[in-house]
Amino acid sequence: MAEKLSFVVPKEFDGKSAKSFLRGYCGISAALLIKLKREEKGITADGVCLRTVDILKAGQRIELSLPSEESNIDPVEGKLDIVFEDKWLLIVNKPPFMPVHPVKQHQTDTLANIVRYYNLQNCENYIFRAVNRLDRDTSGLVMICKDKFSANKLKNNVYKEYIAICHGKITRGKTTINAPIGLTAESKIVRHVLPGGQPSVTHYEEIDHCNDISLLKLWLETGRTHQIRCHMASVNHPLVGDDLYGGSREHIARQCLHCSKMSFVHPVSGDNLTVSAPIPGDMQDVLKHYFSNNEILKLREMMHKCN
């Protein structure tokens, strides 16, 4: 069954074309608009079929019937840590060691497979559209949009914060790394800071430090592959556990990186929303190796304030 979106034409679009309203005010992408035009009663005004060239009047109710979609991902039963869900969005706290999307080496053990099983159990049938992508070994929040409209509205419009544990003492306040990232001819995986690479900007701030490690809060202006991992290694502070970029795996079997917070404007309701996910157990265990019990309690209080 197609989902419906409803909008009321405001005064500033009185006398304007339906296309300008749908594209400029509603945020409907050109590709979705083409699909809506092909759907029977895909676009209506007060219940009557509407063409994109038609002129609108203030106060008219415009309704869009989003086309039904079919996912081709294999459903696999598994556990989901759901942080937020409504008819438009699903946000989950992904555990480490789980890929987000199926790839050649991982066809049935991904977040997408489990979400597919979950939505079929709930009589939903949507394509898996992850707004953000986390590395297999990175834990934390992943946002999945259940329709094209929401995915288009939220693309590049979700603020994300990460928590990381890195080597070395960082005692300064907010710091920015503005350095292009790219691949060298010798590697298809490891990123490097390179002249001519993709522009990449990472901001970070120390939460606390002890015994030559630092706990950081990070947020990004760009979303390059391995951006945080590459940037922190480039300033001689590789993430603990990230042996690909020079970190030690003495106390953990993956990089200490966790997407802990998301803030965004809901694509349909317009509400300002913030969701968070606590540091997972393996990263907490790393902190216990370096911080005293009293310091851990202090850190928990500080992390609560961060969220």
Side-chain angles (χ1 to χ4, degrees):
M1 186 172 114
E3 294 289 354
K4 293 186 181 294
L5 288 170
S6 183
F7 303 92
V8 175
V9 179
K11 289 181 180 180
E12 60 264 32
F13 279 89
D14 185 68
K16 301 291 181 66
S17 71
K19 181 178 181 179
S20 67
F21 171 71
L22 293 170
R23 295 281 282 126
Y25 181 83
C26 304
I28 304 298
S29 68
L32 179 55
L33 191 57
I34 290 172
K35 288 192 174 185
L36 288 169
K37 289 164 67 174
R38 293 172 180 167
E39 291 281 313
E40 184 179 357
K41 289 196 172 182
I43 311 172
T44 62
D46 296 330
V48 178
C49 287
L50 181 72
R51 301 173 304 167
T52 55
V53 295
D54 290 340
I55 301 303
L56 301 179
K57 295 181 180 179
Q60 282 185 296
R61 181 169 293 278
I62 310 301
E63 196 168 75
L64 311 178
S65 295
L66 298 177
S68 299
E69 300 177 304
E70 183 74 31
S71 173
N72 60 0
I73 293 175
D74 294 330
V76 177
E77 187 174 3
K79 184 178 179 181
L80 287 179
D81 182 2
I82 297 173
V83 177
F84 174 88
E85 184 177 19
D86 62 10
K87 66 185 295 185
W88 309 104
L89 304 174
L90 173 67
I91 303 176
V92 301
N93 181 18
K94 185 187 82 69
F97 312 114
M98 177 185 286
V100 172
H101 295 87
V103 293
K104 186 176 181 180
Q105 303 91 336
H106 299 277
Q107 288 291 314
T108 59
D109 59 345
T110 74
L111 179 63
N113 296 116
I114 299 174
V115 169
R116 174 65 173 157
Y117 180 90
Y118 172 78
N119 69 49
L120 289 176
Q121 291 296 111
N122 287 277
C123 300
E124 293 184 306
N125 188 17
Y126 52 84
I127 290 175
F128 183 87
R129 294 185 177 92
V131 173
N132 62 312
R133 299 189 179 192
L134 299 181
D135 293 340
R136 173 184 174 273
D137 292 351
T138 299
S139 58
L141 297 169
V142 177
M143 176 187 287
I144 298 109
C145 291
K146 299 183 181 182
D147 63 276
K148 280 190 173 182
F149 170 76
S150 298
N152 183 64
K153 289 278 282 188
L154 289 169
K155 184 179 180 181
N156 300 322
N157 286 313
V158 179
Y159 170 78
K160 298 176 287 291
E161 277 184 10
Y162 298 81
I163 297 297
I165 305 171
C166 72
H167 291 286
K169 290 184 180 180
I170 297 176
T171 57
R172 47 194 181 274
K174 294 180 181 178
T175 306
T176 296
I177 302 173
N178 187 346
I181 291 174
L183 289 168
T184 64
E186 295 77 28
S187 176
K188 295 182 179 179
I189 299 174
V190 181
R191 268 63 183 176
H192 304 267
V193 170
L194 295 172
Q198 292 181 301
S200 306
V201 181
T202 301
H203 305 285
Y204 66 92
E205 182 178 11
E206 179 228 2
I207 297 172
D208 205 351
H209 64 273
C210 185
N211 296 325
D212 208 34
I213 70 157
S214 296
L215 181 66
L216 305 179
K217 176 177 76 173
L218 307 97
W219 59 104
L220 309 177
E221 288 188 26
T222 54
R224 311 302 180 197
T225 300
H226 293 189
Q227 179 174 320
I228 290 174
R229 300 167 65 187
C230 174
H231 268 173
M232 294 313 299
S234 74
V235 293
N236 299 316
H237 293 293
L239 303 189
V240 172
D242 193 0
D243 58 350
L244 191 65
Y245 287 93
S248 168
R249 287 203 168 190
E250 182 181 0
H251 298 301
I252 192 169
R254 56 107 175 183
Q255 66 265 12
C256 285
L257 183 60
H258 176 72
C259 183
S260 61
K261 181 178 178 179
M262 284 183 172
S263 296
F264 58 97
V265 176
H266 193 283
V268 178
S269 70
D271 294 336
N272 290 303
L273 300 177
T274 296
V275 296
S276 60
I279 296 178
D282 60 350
M283 287 178 62
Q284 292 186 39
D285 289 342
V286 170
L287 293 175
K288 290 175 184 177
H289 280 288
Y290 296 96
F291 290 84
S292 68
N293 289 335
N294 287 337
E295 289 169 327
I296 292 291
L297 289 173
K298 184 181 73 171
L299 282 175
R300 286 176 179 168
E301 292 177 1
M302 295 171 70
M303 293 303 303
H304 180 73
K305 291 178 181 178
C306 287
N307 289 330

